[in-house]
Amino acid sequence: MPTLSPARCSARTAQLGVFFGAWLFALPASAAPTVQYSHGDPSGIEQYTLELINRARMGPPQEGVFLTTQTNPTIQQAYAFFNVNASQVQSAFAVITPASPLAMNPILLATARAQSQDMQTFNYQDHTSQDGRSFSTRIQQAGYFGSLGENIYSFVPAAGGTLFAHAGFNIDWGVPGLEHREAIMGFPAPVSPALSSQATWREVGIGLVQAPPNAPQHANEWFVTHDFGEAYSTSPFGPANIPFLVGVVYTDLDADGFYTAGEGAGGITVMPDVGLNFAITSTSGGYAIPLQYLPPGTTSITITFSGPALGTRQVVRNIPLNGTRNLKADVIIQASTSTRLINLATRLRVETGGNVGIGGFVVTGSVPKQILVRAIGPSLTAAGVSGAMSNPTLQVFDSSGMAIAQNDDWQMQTGPQFPLRTAADITATGFPPSDPRESAVLLTLMPGAYTGIVRGVSGEMGVALIEVYDASLGTTGARAINVSTRGRVLTGDAVMIGGFVIQGNRSRRVVIRALGPSLTAAGVPGVLANPSFQVFNSSGTVIAQNDDWKTGPSMAELQTLGRAPGDDRESALIITLAPGAYTAIVRGVGNTTGVALVEVYDAEE
């Protein structure tokens, strides 16, 4: 077990030149981005390290748990050697304020790689290179000026890999202070207040070099450098304070919900709707875009992802701005079309007015898809549900609010849906309702957002089930990716119950959310103030639960996928599930009641 610990330095460099006139340039408010920005070409393992750093910065409490629960034997040996106290580490990370993600910078990437290579070539660990240059001199000579910092770690054991270096830096084992952790996590240094500039760093370069197998010393060991920076502007007026949009596009081949080297999707165009710059993902799948020259008053940007790995599809994200803080948007491309969400259903109490049952779903892709929508009531009684609705009706609307289908009693199919399907068509899907008073429509839908509304005939109230089935599993180029249901959450049998089925031969990532307080902004009265949920497998075992999404393990990933709830009291998780049937039950904390929204998303695009 090597006893050498990581090392860290920080500095603020002076700008050597003054460039006048650059700040006078402006873009027309309507101009689309025309200048491609490149974050360099990090390797897959360097991109993986960046993803580890950014996940840690965005979710410190979860990082503390992650660091102290590693099962790699080499990392566990380091825990023992350096007397790492897991509970103290978790407690320390629990109180760290989340920081914005870092953007890879091509200059810092080059300087970090050069230092790692120098340390490997000459077998040393130091911030001063063998030619006598300090880290700040090296970075400044490369053309980057501003507030700087550097982490270095030599002789990282091959068996521990880059995760060993990440744990060593962030736990800061064998180091009296916490300077490495402070650099990565982006909080002011209580030990060294003069080095507190890391709270403003927004860029990083990561260089990883592995010694060759035939190296005379330290064969196969890793040499790691992180070069951090906050660049000065080209004017004499100090830091530029330009935020970056960063992220990674990847195919989750190992279904672990996190980027792994080799999963990156290069060549994806990342196009904002405003500003100067766009990006094309590097070979690693990563990208960075400086958000500069935005029109005055811009509060959010819309990002469109397109390119080879997405086929004919486009993925669109709307990203709210957060002052000058960096933002992150990732895209996970489905690894296999042989596994998908095929059925999404929600049981809830259906009332009248604004408390009818409202279910929304989205079809993605470029071709039409066959969808079965059902409203179930009477057959719930046989399942032991009290107060079931005896005669539910169903309407389906498109995104413009136009009614495109309706039904009362599924064996009697009438318009306006076209083409008009028969009861025999519905039976042929394998999912016909079991009671003639229940409602169902079989629709061929173009990609888009749709809403189903369930009401009781003659204003009847009761517990009902709204369901959406993917009835065309053989269709490529189209998928039903999420369903959401809004209704009143009460107690007992009248809690909200969302069910879904994953079919196929591999695990799949899904997002589950329970929203309440944020519905107020949409004009919904009587919302559930503090929703929570539990997830059950088909045997009735609780496999996941959440109350307040920021306390759960998915906080950072929810943000990067654009699925973070709008209120801290709302609940959400991203979980990896094997094929099978699952149920999510939404309740009010303390048996409170109110209108809530339960959602199930496919996390893979």
Side-chain angles (χ1 to χ4, degrees):
M1 166 55 60
T3 58
L4 193 60
S5 302
R8 149 94 197 289
C9 258
S10 178
R12 183 174 290 271
T13 65
Q15 184 166 353
L16 299 183
V18 175
F19 303 87
F20 295 97
W23 62 90
L24 300 177
F25 177 73
L27 287 176
S30 59
T34 57
V35 178
Q36 181 181 342
Y37 180 85
S38 173
H39 72 166
D41 194 18
S43 67
I45 204 70
E46 289 164 343
Q47 185 72 44
Y48 170 67
T49 301
L50 177 61
E51 297 310 309
L52 288 172
I53 289 173
N54 282 337
R55 182 174 66 178
R57 289 170 64 91
M58 297 175 70
Q62 294 81 6
E63 174 71 2
V65 175
F66 172 78
L67 290 171
T68 54
T69 55
Q70 293 304 305
T71 58
N72 181 287
T74 307
I75 295 176
Q76 289 185 329
Q77 289 174 21
Y79 292 161
F81 185 88
F82 292 108
N83 296 314
V84 174
N85 185 309
S87 62
Q88 287 182 1
V89 171
Q90 292 183 16
S91 297
F93 275 85
V95 297
I96 295 176
T97 301
S100 58
L102 297 174
M104 188 75 79
N105 176 276
I107 296 177
L108 297 178
L109 174 62
T111 61
R113 281 177 172 171
Q115 180 61 15
S116 291
Q117 185 62 65
D118 199 60
M119 293 191 299
Q120 187 272 314
T121 300
F122 296 103
N123 287 306
Y124 73 96
Q125 174 175 292
D126 201 290
H127 293 282
T128 301
S129 58
Q130 288 297 285
D131 60 10
R133 292 181 298 162
S134 67
F135 83 95
S136 58
T137 298
R138 287 186 276 105
I139 294 173
Q140 183 176 318
Q141 289 178 349
Y144 191 101
F145 304 95
S147 170
L148 305 172
E150 183 173 81
N151 285 347
I152 56 173
Y153 202 166
S154 293
F155 318 119
V156 175
T162 54
L163 188 56
F164 183 100
H166 176 75
F169 281 136
N170 233 0
I171 292 177
D172 244 0
W173 54 46
V175 179
L178 296 174
E179 290 88 352
H180 303 93
R181 182 187 301 176
E182 292 155 0
I184 288 177
M185 301 302 292
F187 61 91
V191 177
S192 307
L195 306 182
S196 62
S197 57
Q198 63 258 25
T200 67
W201 291 337
R202 64 183 71 234
E203 295 182 283
V204 69
I206 298 168
L208 289 103
V209 172
Q210 187 174 27
N214 60 352
Q217 299 180 67
H218 307 291
N220 296 316
E221 293 183 352
W222 287 93
F223 296 76
V224 184
T225 303
H226 301 164
D227 282 342
F228 301 92
E230 162 69 4
Y232 288 153
S233 65
T234 53
S235 78
F237 301 121
N241 286 324
I242 296 174
F244 284 83
L245 174 69
V246 306
V248 64
V249 182
Y250 68 100
T251 302
D252 192 14
L253 298 173
D254 55 8
D256 66 347
F258 193 72
Y259 175 88
T260 303
E263 293 182 339
I268 300 293
T269 299
V270 187
M271 181 65 68
D273 60 337
V274 292
L276 175 66
N277 300 104
F278 70 97
I280 297 178
T281 58
S282 59
T283 305
S284 68
Y287 73 92
I289 301 174
L291 300 178
Q292 54 186 336
Y293 306 117
L294 304 184
T298 300
T299 58
S300 65
I301 56 174
T302 298
I303 310 295
T304 301
F305 298 82
S306 62
L310 290 168
T312 59
R313 294 180 294 120
Q314 292 185 335
V315 176
V316 179
R317 296 268 196 270
N318 185 265
I319 312 294
L321 300 181
N322 188 7
T324 60
R325 293 170 64 90
N326 287 359
L327 308 169
K328 197 172 195 297
D330 297 340
V331 172
I332 306 176
I333 302 171
Q334 57 175 324
S336 170
T337 57
S338 63
T339 303
R340 62 181 70 191
L341 285 165
I342 66 163
N343 162 235
L344 308 109
T346 305
R347 196 189 87 190
L348 71 166
R349 180 170 172 80
V350 175
E351 299 183 348
T352 58
N355 295 325
V356 295
I358 303 176
F361 58 97
V362 176
V363 176
T364 65
S366 58
V367 298
K369 188 161 193 65
Q370 190 166 264
I371 298 291
L372 176 67
V373 186
R374 311 196 317 176
I376 305 299
S379 57
L380 296 179
T381 301
V385 177
S386 59
M389 180 172 283
S390 65
N391 195 355
T393 67
L394 173 67
Q395 284 182 297
V396 179
F397 298 82
D398 64 16
S399 59
S400 71
M402 177 183 293
I404 59 173
Q406 62 186 26
N407 180 248
D408 176 21
D409 303 340
W410 70 277
Q411 294 177 345
M412 300 173 58
Q413 293 292 312
T414 60
Q417 56 264 34
F418 181 84
L420 186 64
R421 303 302 184 112
T422 66
D425 293 327
I426 293 175
T427 300
T429 67
F431 306 112
S434 59
D435 191 288
R437 294 169 293 174
E438 295 171 330
S439 299
V441 293
L442 181 61
L443 305 171
T444 300
L445 299 176
M446 292 297 295
Y450 299 89
T451 302
I453 295 183
V454 178
R455 295 182 174 91
V457 171
S458 301
E460 179 196 8
M461 297 186 292
V463 177
L465 187 70
I466 182 170
E467 298 179 301
V468 178
Y469 287 86
D470 185 338
S472 55
L473 291 181
T475 301
T476 59
R479 293 187 302 137
I481 64 164
N482 82 279
V483 67
S484 59
T485 306
R486 196 193 87 191
R488 277 184 60 79
V489 175
L490 301 178
T491 57
D493 282 343
V495 296
M496 184 178 285
I497 303 176
F500 56 97
V501 176
I502 297 173
Q503 184 182 72
N505 55 17
R506 65 179 288 271
S507 297
R508 197 160 192 90
R509 300 278 289 170
V510 297
V511 182
I512 303 173
R513 309 198 312 175
L515 309 184
S518 61
L519 300 179
T520 301
V524 177
V527 301
L528 186 63
N530 193 355
S532 66
F533 68 79
Q534 293 177 300
V535 181
F536 298 79
N537 62 17
S538 58
S539 66
T541 301
V542 177
I543 58 173
Q545 58 189 2
N546 182 247
D547 174 24
D548 303 341
W549 67 277
K550 285 189 175 180
T551 66
S554 308
M555 183 178 77
E557 190 180 359
L558 286 164
Q559 293 172 316
T560 62
L561 293 182
R563 303 302 189 193
D567 191 285
D568 291 356
R569 295 168 291 176
E570 295 171 328
S571 300
L573 282 176
I574 302 178
I575 52 179
T576 300
L577 298 173
Y582 299 90
T583 302
I585 296 182
V586 179
R587 294 182 173 89
V589 173
N591 284 325
T592 52
T593 62
V595 177
L597 185 72
V598 60
E599 300 177 304
V600 179
Y601 289 88
D602 190 336
E604 300 178 16
E605 298 291 346

